[in-house]
Amino acid sequence: MSNHVLLVEDEVNIIEAIRFLLSREGWTVDTHSDGSDAADVIRARKPDIVILDVMLPGRSGFDILEELRGDAQTADLPVLMLTARGQSRDREMAEKAGVSRFMTKPFSNAEVLTAVRDLLYVHRQST
Amino acid sequence: MTSLNLLIAVCFAYVTFLFGVAFIAERMGVRGRAGWLLRSPLVYTLSLSIYCTAWTFYGAVGNAARSGLEYVTIYLGPSIVIIGWWFVLRRLVRIGRSHKVTSIADLISSRYGKSNVLAIVVTVMAVIGVTPYIGLQLQSVTLSLSIFSAAGDASVTPDTDNPGGLWIAAGLALFTVVFGTRNLNANERHHGVVIAVAAEAVVKLVALLAVGIFVVWGIAGGLSETLARIDASALGTWQTDGSRWATLTFLSATAFLCLPRMFQVLVVENDDERHLQIASWAFPLYLMLMSLFVVPIAVIGLEVLPEGSNPDFFVLSLPLSQGREGLAMLSFLGGFSSATSMVIVATLALSTMVSNHVVMPVFLQLRKGGATQSGDVRNVVILSRRLSILGIIGLGYVYFKASGGSGALAAIGLISFAGVAQFLPAMIGGLFWRGATRLGAVTGLATGFVIWMYTMLLPSFGPDVVLSDAVFSTGLFGLHWLRPQALFGITGMDPTVHAVFWSMTLNALVFALVSLVSFPLPLERLQGAQFVNVFDHSAQTRSWNATVAESEDLMIMAQRILGADEALQLFADEAHSQGLPGHLPEPTPAFLQRLERVLSGSVGAATAHAMIGQIVGGASVSVQDLMAVADESAQMLEYSSQLEAQSNELSKTAAQLRTANNKLMQISAQKDAFLSQISHELRTPMTSIRAFSEILRDTEGLGPMEKTKYASIIHTEAIRLTRLLDDLLDLSVLENGQVTLNRQTGTLGDVLDQAVATARAGASRELSVKRRRLDEAITLDTDLDRLSQVFINLITNAAKYCAAGNPELRIVAGQRGDAVVIDFIDNGAGIPAGARDMMFEKFSRIGAQDSNGAGLGLAICREILTRLGGSITYRDGTGGTAFRVVLPQSLAMAAQ
């Protein structure tokens, strides 16, 4: 049984890069690029981990995260957030929304991999 | 046979007696003794007897001898007025008191907003109407002297060369000067004059009664005998004309109110309103006694005296003819009293008017500085009074000399009555009708006065004196309806009735109509309200005195003005110093004055006075008080409007600050948004570049296909990044205006060729472009590189975003005057209306995100075109996405 990650991102090339990285680690990588129905998609596909971009068409990542945290089913779901805006305010908002890990673009590949592993470990511990 | 010298000596003694009485009264008045006498209703009633002049004393008998009972009307009118004192006189006296009115001119002008013009009009009319009457008194005295010296021959005509007239005029002038201008207090009361007039009233009554008793019992032989003779005489059977009776009654009633001298004694010299109540029965009684023996004297006189005797002097000539010198002397003194008392009071009243409304205004006008030192002005006032007195008596004397004693006494009396009767509409209208206006009063007065002159005064001089005989028979300017004694062609009326009817009717009509159509000034309105509602807010004048109940009201008022604690403190202190428990003091006059002072610190002196007056009800609030209040209010209003202006200014400033602040916040927010937008736009390609370069570096065993693919991603993203940086720099340069334009000349077609080629080279999709070369042969003189940049942006956008299966772009060029218009229309879906406002802003993107644009393109286009003096707009209704570029053919035109 492979670990299942859902990547919510709208930049084609970034999707391509993350998919490449995680696939080599043995992850099943699912992608979705629209913000407006992202929360439903996450609930439907029940991934182990979500990697969530902030600036999405249709709906911001913060809103999606808040909805996930307000739902018992996804309250503890590990979420790694990526943002290209890189202001401290975004980090605070992400913390408030209940983010598991927060990362600023451009990221280093190693960082992403470490974060995903850590989140998976914690996730496994808690369940 | 009494010598003239003795008579003159008696006259002199009598006048000296009058001086003495007046002098003593003044002295007593100053010392405050014998106030009961000075302020007794009896004196007031007797002083009213100046209504009975020589005209009444002698003329009533003459009137009865000529036209029967008609003389009664002369007594009837005043009796009606004074018996009905509650309706008009009470109001007049109250107003006179509360407004410190000094004369009828003052009353009328006060009522109509203190109009000096009106005061002058009334004064002039009064002088014209009354001066002949003064002359008449002089004439009657002179005539009586002549009759006396001619031993009762009543057929003599007055001898105007007789120096007696001059002496009498001089004596009366002296008396009036001495006692009429002694003191200049505000209320213009003259105790000395009033007492002297009262004394004369007694003399003339006694004299007339004595003559009457002598005639009935001494000549006719008893009462029944007299009555029989009266029945036998033709006097009772003379036709009495109803319209004449009504007219004369009306005239005498009106004159009683409007004659300046009557106004003087009725209103100005009144000490106490309650005296009216006594006078309302006592004065008619006096008149009745005065008229008691008129008919007997007339009847007996007609019988006893020779044909051709002047019936106007039966009262004097009857005793003389019977050799009763003593009685004749008394009778003479009665007539003398009647004449002198009238002259004194009339002169006093007229001189007050002339001085106050004509001389003083002129003087103050000349001395532009106005009244600065009161003492100085006081002397001027006294001087002007004295000159006015001399002037008026002088005029009377001149009239007497000039007229040569024409006409019967009664006729001149009626003319005078009708003249002053013209004041009635303006006066009564002003007392009862708030709508009466100054313009109405002036026009009414003038109308009535002119008609009176034309129909009554001028004809009285006889034909060919002032009015030619032709005017009488054919009318003025030959207009038939303008005949002075048959106005509007109405003939057959008695001349007196005719004149009174027309002058009064038209006077009242003009007054009413003009009042209805003219608008009163604020001061007129205020005065009108005060006069008409005089009983609502004036009481008998007294000094501040109040009850404890009022003390509470005062306290409440003071708290409203001063604030609760301060007022309480003030009242408690006062109560304490008065030795009273609690906090309510006795409202003593001293305390009220103190309170007024304290309040005036807060609300102004006039307002304070008026407020205390309202509560204590002591003094009536005069117009001056009210005007002062209005002034204060105006100042406060001004002050508050200044404050308001300041606060408006402040709130305006505050609003400006808020606006500025909002703008700053907006700018700041925009800046933040812009920065995070830039950050996002830069980091996104960076992310791909970094991720793939790390993959290339760290991943072992990548196939050549993958290596190539990832390297080209890095390449594409690097180019995207570069273009973004270029655009940013470009935009910042354009926005800051640090752009140097490079002017070149070329045709529009060439620029478009270049742009289409460039855009196609960078485009990922095939785009078919449709153009009409013919339209593009336009020579441009502008920055062709920048223009090309705009075109490239638009074409690239079309290639990128056109949603159609086979995208197509039409470029339509044309010229509008000096402007070049180029439309770029694709066959896509167009731009949704909601997005159009924003699409020229930085980083605005429509619809789905595109990996290849930061949304700066259109913003740059807009900036460039602004530099080139043109514009770019979105065109609606073409079916696709359409942009219109407009720019001047030459950059030189843009600069203009």
Side-chain angles (χ1 to χ4, degrees):
Chain A
M1 120 124 227
S2 74
N3 298 314
H4 181 198
V5 69
L6 178 57
L7 170 61
V8 187
E9 169 65 75
D10 58 332
E11 277 283 334
V12 187
N13 291 334
I14 295 175
I15 294 172
E16 181 86 16
I18 292 176
R19 185 199 294 282
F20 178 87
L21 286 173
L22 293 181
S23 307
R24 286 178 59 93
E25 290 279 311
W27 287 79
T28 308
V29 181
D30 240 349
T31 61
H32 185 70
S33 58
D34 188 10
S36 41
D37 58 352
D40 297 333
V41 171
I42 291 165
R43 273 195 290 268
R45 303 200 189 157
K46 297 191 177 64
D48 296 313
I49 291 177
V50 174
I51 299 176
L52 185 57
D53 186 22
V54 173
M55 282 185 76
L56 288 166
R59 199 177 180 193
S60 94
F62 297 128
D63 285 358
I64 298 166
L65 179 59
E66 255 178 87
E67 187 180 328
L68 293 177
R69 291 299 182 236
D71 187 337
Q73 203 192 323
T74 54
D76 298 324
L77 185 62
V79 175
L80 164 61
M81 235 177 178
L82 300 175
T83 183
R85 290 202 307 207
Q87 290 173 329
S88 55
R89 213 157 42 93
D90 291 339
R91 183 176 287 280
E92 284 161 27
M93 280 178 78
E95 301 286 357
K96 223 170 76 181
V99 78
S100 316
R101 273 309 252 304
F102 183 85
M103 226 176 261
T104 309
K105 294 174 182 175
F107 45 79
S108 86
N109 294 348
E111 262 182 84
V112 175
L113 287 173
T114 310
V116 172
R117 282 188 205 123
D118 286 358
L119 286 176
L120 183 68
Y121 177 73
V122 171
H123 182 57
R124 288 270 189 270
Q125 292 294 305
S126 63
T127 47
Chain B
M1 182 63 236
T2 317
S3 74
L4 195 63
N5 291 343
L6 175 64
L7 197 62
I8 289 175
V10 169
C11 275
F12 188 75
Y14 181 68
V15 171
T16 312
F17 157 76
L18 286 184
F19 268 84
V21 167
F23 181 71
I24 290 164
E26 289 278 357
R27 290 294 296 272
M28 287 198 307
V30 171
R31 295 205 193 132
R33 283 191 313 200
W36 61 268
L37 179 64
L38 300 181
R39 280 191 291 277
S40 86
L42 183 67
V43 169
Y44 179 69
T45 305
L46 287 173
S47 73
L48 298 187
S49 75
I50 55 159
Y51 178 75
C52 307
T53 62
W55 172 33
T56 317
F57 189 86
Y58 296 125
V61 172
N63 199 349
R66 285 192 200 91
S67 37
L69 288 177
E70 204 177 75
Y71 78 95
V72 174
T73 55
I74 302 304
Y75 300 110
L76 203 54
S79 299
I80 290 169
V81 171
I82 196 131
I83 288 167
W85 66 280
W86 184 261
F87 301 104
V88 178
L89 282 175
R90 190 173 65 105
R91 188 173 278 265
L92 262 183
V93 168
R94 173 72 59 91
I95 287 167
R97 170 182 308 290
S98 57
H99 291 257
K100 301 192 170 64
V101 167
T102 58
S103 65
I104 190 165
D106 190 26
L107 176 95
I108 291 176
S109 91
S110 280
R111 162 58 182 85
Y112 298 104
K114 315 213 163 185
S115 149
N116 207 43
V117 172
L118 201 49
I120 290 170
V121 168
V122 174
T123 302
V124 169
M125 284 170 62
V127 169
I128 294 176
V130 177
T131 310
Y133 210 47
I134 291 174
L136 179 72
Q137 305 304 313
L138 296 176
Q139 177 191 313
S140 78
V141 173
T142 321
L143 200 56
S144 58
L145 276 174
S146 313
I147 289 170
F148 225 101
S149 47
D153 178 6
S155 61
V156 293
T157 50
D159 170 18
T160 48
D161 298 331
N162 188 325
L166 183 60
W167 278 109
I168 290 156
L172 290 178
L174 180 67
F175 181 92
T176 316
V177 165
V178 169
F179 293 103
T181 60
R182 279 175 69 84
N183 50 355
L184 278 181
N185 51 0
N187 56 15
E188 292 291 342
R189 302 236 173 84
H190 308 87
H191 291 304
V193 173
V194 171
I195 289 283
V197 165
E200 298 201 278
V202 175
V203 172
K204 60 191 177 193
L205 181 63
V206 168
L208 200 56
L209 288 177
V211 172
I213 288 166
F214 165 74
V215 166
V216 172
W217 282 276
I219 302 179
L223 198 58
S224 52
E225 197 59 36
T226 312
L227 291 174
R229 286 193 184 197
I230 292 171
D231 280 342
S233 82
L235 195 142
T237 62
W238 286 334
Q239 275 299 307
T240 51
D241 172 3
S243 72
R244 239 185 104 81
W245 267 67
T247 302
L248 293 181
T249 307
F250 167 79
L251 255 193
S252 60
T254 304
F256 187 70
L257 285 171
C258 295
L259 279 167
R261 67 172 189 277
M262 289 319 298
F263 191 88
Q264 180 81 24
V265 288
L266 266 173
V267 178
V268 181
E269 307 285 355
N270 174 288
D271 266 315
D272 190 332
E273 270 177 49
R274 286 167 303 183
H275 291 176
L276 276 173
Q277 221 168 331
I278 310 286
S280 69
W281 57 263
F283 185 62
L285 182 69
Y286 181 94
L287 291 180
M288 203 188 80
L289 291 173
M290 284 294 279
S291 60
L292 200 56
F293 291 105
V294 168
V295 173
I297 295 172
V299 171
I300 306 294
L302 284 172
E303 278 186 29
V304 173
L305 292 175
E307 199 68 31
S309 300
N310 183 353
D312 279 338
F313 285 97
F314 282 178
V315 177
L316 191 58
S317 46
L318 265 176
L320 278 176
S321 68
Q322 305 299 313
R324 295 300 189 105
E325 300 233 338
L327 183 61
M329 183 74 78
L330 181 62
S331 165
F332 169 79
L333 279 184
F336 186 78
S337 292
S338 307
T340 52
S341 58
M342 178 270 163
V343 173
I344 289 165
V345 181
T347 307
L348 194 61
L350 286 178
S351 72
T352 303
M353 283 152 73
V354 170
S355 164
N356 285 2
H357 302 302
V358 183
V359 181
M360 287 310 291
V362 169
F363 168 78
L364 292 175
Q365 204 65 48
L366 292 176
R367 274 196 29 192
K368 257 301 178 203
T372 43
Q373 295 158 294
S374 58
D376 163 32
V377 173
R378 193 194 135 87
N379 291 334
V380 175
V381 171
I382 290 183
L383 182 64
S384 96
R385 262 314 141 78
R386 290 177 176 169
L387 290 175
S388 306
I389 289 169
L390 294 177
I392 285 158
I393 293 197
L395 268 181
Y397 183 73
V398 167
Y399 180 88
F400 152 67
K401 292 287 279 189
S403 68
S406 70
L409 291 184
I412 296 189
L414 279 182
I415 292 169
S416 184
F417 272 22
V420 295
Q422 304 306 323
F423 300 151
L424 190 74
M427 184 167 93
I428 297 297
L431 295 188
F432 291 95
W433 181 35
R434 283 182 66 168
T437 69
R438 175 185 307 187
L439 201 58
V442 172
T443 49
L445 279 171
T447 307
F449 194 65
V450 166
I451 296 171
W452 168 77
M453 292 266 275
Y454 184 66
T455 59
M456 205 162 179
L457 181 66
L458 300 181
S460 75
F461 297 121
D464 285 335
V465 178
V466 183
L467 299 174
S468 67
D469 198 22
V471 170
F472 278 94
S473 50
T474 59
L476 194 62
F477 316 121
L479 294 169
H480 212 63
W481 57 274
L482 276 183
R483 278 171 300 166
Q485 296 187 326
L487 278 186
F488 307 106
I490 296 172
T491 52
M493 270 169 107
D494 175 273
T496 304
V497 176
H498 169 269
V500 171
F501 174 78
W502 282 120
S503 63
M504 292 306 290
T505 305
L506 292 175
N507 176 339
L509 201 66
V510 169
F511 164 71
L513 291 179
V514 176
S515 285
L516 286 175
V517 299
S518 60
F519 292 98
L521 301 170
L523 183 57
E524 271 185 78
R525 247 192 266 263
L526 183 66
Q527 292 285 78
Q530 285 242 303
F531 274 51
V532 174
N533 308 326
V534 67
F535 295 114
D536 300 347
H537 47 55
S538 74
Q540 285 283 53
T541 310
R542 45 194 171 127
S543 57
W544 288 141
N545 56 18
T547 64
V548 177
E550 286 164 348
S551 206
E552 289 203 43
D553 293 342
L554 287 169
M555 173 78 146
I556 291 162
M557 178 186 82
Q559 286 186 327
R560 277 216 306 265
I561 295 169
L562 303 172
D565 295 345
E566 201 176 328
L568 200 65
Q569 188 64 46
L570 179 74
F571 277 64
D573 282 355
E574 183 66 26
H576 182 71
S577 69
Q578 288 178 3
L580 294 169
H583 63 270
L584 277 186
E586 281 285 352
T588 58
F591 172 58
L592 289 172
Q593 274 178 359
R594 182 179 155 197
L595 182 63
E596 194 177 316
R597 270 201 309 279
V598 175
L599 291 182
S600 52
S602 304
V603 294
T607 313
H609 185 78
M611 286 176 126
I612 292 183
Q614 283 286 323
I615 289 177
V616 180
S620 64
V621 180
S622 77
V623 172
Q624 277 88 346
D625 293 345
L626 274 175
M627 290 311 286
V629 170
D631 280 349
E632 274 170 9
S633 315
Q635 280 166 7
M636 286 183 188
L637 275 175
E638 198 175 328
Y639 181 60
S640 74
S641 72
Q642 278 172 2
L643 281 180
E644 203 178 330
Q646 282 172 355
S647 85
N648 283 348
E649 202 66 39
L650 278 175
S651 52
K652 221 185 280 179
T653 311
Q656 283 168 345
L657 277 174
R658 262 200 305 278
T659 313
N661 195 34
N662 286 346
K663 210 164 197 149
L664 280 173
M665 305 249 295
Q666 235 173 341
I667 289 172
S668 163
Q670 272 177 0
K671 190 198 70 182
D672 288 349
F674 182 64
L675 281 175
S676 68
Q677 196 75 41
I678 294 233
S679 160
H680 179 266
E681 296 299 333
L682 291 173
R683 283 170 191 272
T684 303
M686 282 287 198
T687 308
S688 305
I689 291 170
R690 184 172 173 181
F692 283 108
S693 52
E694 281 181 10
I695 287 171
L696 287 176
R697 189 192 61 194
D698 302 336
T699 315
E700 288 169 20
L702 268 181
M705 286 279 289
E706 283 169 322
K707 277 187 185 170
T708 310
K709 185 184 174 192
Y710 297 156
S712 60
I713 289 178
I714 292 174
H715 180 251
T716 312
E717 292 289 13
I719 287 173
R720 174 179 167 190
L721 198 55
T722 312
R723 201 172 57 232
L724 181 72
L725 284 170
D726 284 346
D727 281 355
L728 271 175
L729 286 171
D730 209 6
L731 192 61
S732 109
V733 164
L734 283 165
E735 280 189 338
N736 293 326
Q738 301 156 330
V739 65
T740 329
L741 293 175
N742 174 21
R743 271 175 71 174
Q744 292 167 289
T745 313
T747 63
L748 178 61
D750 294 347
V751 180
L752 279 169
D753 285 348
Q754 192 199 331
V756 171
T758 311
R760 279 213 176 119
S764 49
R765 299 168 68 195
E766 192 56 44
L767 174 79
S768 69
V769 176
K770 294 196 167 173
R771 294 161 59 191
R772 283 193 52 181
R773 298 260 165 198
L774 268 178
D775 299 338
E776 294 168 2
I778 299 169
T779 309
L780 295 171
D781 173 19
T782 186
D783 189 330
L784 298 181
D785 292 341
R786 284 291 183 183
L787 188 57
S788 179
Q789 197 185 341
V790 172
F791 295 160
I792 291 167
N793 259 319
L794 290 173
I795 298 164
T796 307
N797 276 354
K800 262 196 278 190
Y801 303 118
C802 181
N806 42 0
E808 177 184 294
L809 178 71
R810 279 189 300 133
I811 300 177
V812 184
Q815 259 184 297
R816 303 250 174 98
D818 295 329
V820 184
V821 181
I822 311 110
D823 286 337
F824 294 81
I825 307 162
D826 71 12
N827 58 349
I831 290 174
R836 286 177 204 160
D837 295 341
M838 292 297 297
M839 70 185 162
F840 293 106
E841 298 301 324
K842 297 186 281 280
F843 302 112
S844 76
R845 290 210 212 106
I846 294 131
Q849 285 211 322
D850 139 79
S851 55
N852 240 350
L856 292 172
L858 286 174
I860 290 172
C861 290
R862 190 181 58 177
E863 287 300 327
I864 289 172
L865 283 165
T866 305
R867 298 272 156 246
L868 300 183
S871 65
I872 177 167
T873 46
Y874 181 78
R875 279 191 65 207
D876 212 1
T878 55
T881 305
F883 288 98
R884 166 164 290 186
V885 173
V886 180
L887 78 154
Q889 229 179 312
S890 154
L891 198 54
M893 295 177 197
Q896 288 161 9

